[in-house]
Amino acid sequence: METLPTASPDAEERPYGRRIVLSVIGLGAIGVALGAPLQSAIDAVLSPVRRVDPTGLAELVPGEGGWRYYSVTARQPDLTTADYRLRVDGLVDRSTTLTWDDLSDLPQTRWTRDFQCVTGWRVDEVAWQGVRLNDLLDVVGVQSAARAITFHSHDGVYTESLTLDQVDRDEVMVATHLDGEIVTRDHGGPVRLLVVPMYGYKSLKWLSRIELVDNVEPGYWEERGYDVDAYVGSSNGRNDEPIT
Ligand SMILES: Nc1nc2c(c(=O)[nH]1)N[C@H]1C(S)=C(S)[C@@H](COP(=O)(O)O)O[C@H]1N2
Ligand SMILES: [Mo]
């Protein structure tokens, strides 16, 4: 069995969300009853899933509307729109800290897109609203030495990265609304990243900082073997046109 990337005896570090924790207690008991040999056969079948969701059980427990709630930390940030802050810094002309109201005052973009996790689950036609990353970058001014962006999360652990060439495709959003409502805590609210053409692990939740850097720094899952280039295959090609 492969080593779980972030498994730790410390419950605070366990890499699954609380909804899943509640739902899988019964499934864990099944594993105990089956005994070790059968359990390792099940583990082998689930292993591609485990590489992204070490519990392997998120796949079995769909949330509302087909979503699975992922978090690599047990404790999720609990931020109101009033205390939310977004730092934009690194190789920019004007480092800045934005509030929720600052984001609301910027031009708003709306895209309806499918959302797909690398493990195979997918939610069709999710309606997103927020600020295009390129609009935000225009505000701060990107310096010529910048080549990539490192994104940080208020969870203190998760990071993601994109090259500026990838961002130039103009399909990245600092998202404030999902299906008409402020992004919920489970979904990484009040503000998360949305990287439309890529697998879900690029869409970092509880976005805290956008850091312009001169070289791409592998993100959380990239450190664990996933690609910085995470473009979804042709199966996700249905909703690629912006609606506004
Ligand atoms: N901070 C943080 N962002 C994250 C993750 C995470 O564990 N922590 N999981 C990623 C993965 S693998 C997916 S598929 C999506 C899932 O988004 P959801 O939890 O809103 O369904 O979030 C991505 N962003
Ligand atoms: Mo994912």
Side-chain angles (χ1 to χ4, degrees):
M1 205 171 85
E2 74 179 285
T3 314
L4 307 184
T6 59
S8 151
D10 175 2
E12 286 306 299
E13 292 299 320
R14 285 197 189 143
Y16 39 77
R18 61 197 156 80
R19 292 199 178 175
I20 292 167
V21 175
L22 293 176
S23 323
V24 300
I25 291 166
L27 294 166
I30 293 169
V32 172
L34 292 173
L38 204 66
Q39 187 59 43
S40 49
I42 292 170
D43 290 343
V45 170
L46 288 176
S47 74
V49 168
R50 282 167 183 266
R51 286 188 301 146
V52 161
D53 166 26
T55 68
L57 292 162
E59 294 311 294
L60 307 176
V61 192
E64 207 179 314
W67 286 97
R68 274 76 164 170
Y69 297 94
Y70 281 5
S71 176
V72 298
T73 55
R75 190 184 292 136
Q76 305 173 15
D78 193 4
L79 300 162
T80 64
T81 54
D83 34 71
Y84 179 76
R85 294 291 181 279
L86 172 59
R87 180 89 189 137
V88 189
D89 63 4
L91 299 171
V92 298
D93 294 332
R94 296 168 291 279
S95 294
T96 181
T97 300
L98 294 137
T99 63
W100 172 268
D101 289 343
D102 294 333
L103 287 170
S104 307
D105 288 344
L106 287 166
Q108 300 293 300
T109 294
R110 292 175 186 79
W111 292 329
T112 296
R113 294 292 192 286
D114 299 346
F115 187 92
Q116 184 162 327
C117 174
V118 70
T119 60
W121 61 267
R122 159 182 171 151
V123 182
D124 288 343
E125 298 179 20
V126 183
W128 298 93
Q129 181 187 325
V131 178
R132 274 192 318 188
L133 181 57
N134 279 331
D135 289 344
L136 201 58
L137 294 181
D138 286 345
V139 173
V140 296
V142 174
Q143 295 180 358
S144 56
R147 290 285 173 278
I149 304 183
T150 302
F151 300 92
H152 302 262
S153 171
H154 281 288
D155 70 16
V157 175
Y158 204 88
T159 56
E160 254 311 328
S161 58
L162 291 172
T163 65
L164 284 183
D165 287 344
Q166 291 169 336
V167 172
D168 273 347
R169 288 181 51 159
D170 215 9
E171 296 167 302
V172 185
M173 179 192 283
V174 173
T176 54
H177 293 75
L178 192 169
D179 287 338
E181 288 171 12
I182 295 172
V183 178
T184 59
R185 182 185 182 189
D186 279 333
H187 281 303
V191 181
R192 76 179 291 168
L193 196 68
L194 169 67
V195 183
V196 166
M198 297 196 181
Y199 285 116
Y201 65 89
K202 286 295 195 176
S203 293
L204 172 142
K205 308 203 293 183
W206 310 290
L207 178 64
S208 65
R209 181 177 174 208
I210 297 174
E211 182 192 8
L212 277 288
V213 293
D214 59 4
N215 236 311
V216 75
E217 294 167 8
Y220 181 89
W221 285 119
E222 291 140 20
E223 291 277 14
R224 290 158 180 78
Y226 281 83
D227 294 335
V228 174
D229 271 316
Y231 290 104
V232 174
S234 55
S235 63
N236 199 36
R238 294 195 297 142
N239 297 312
D240 278 350
E241 293 307 311
I243 58 166
T244 54

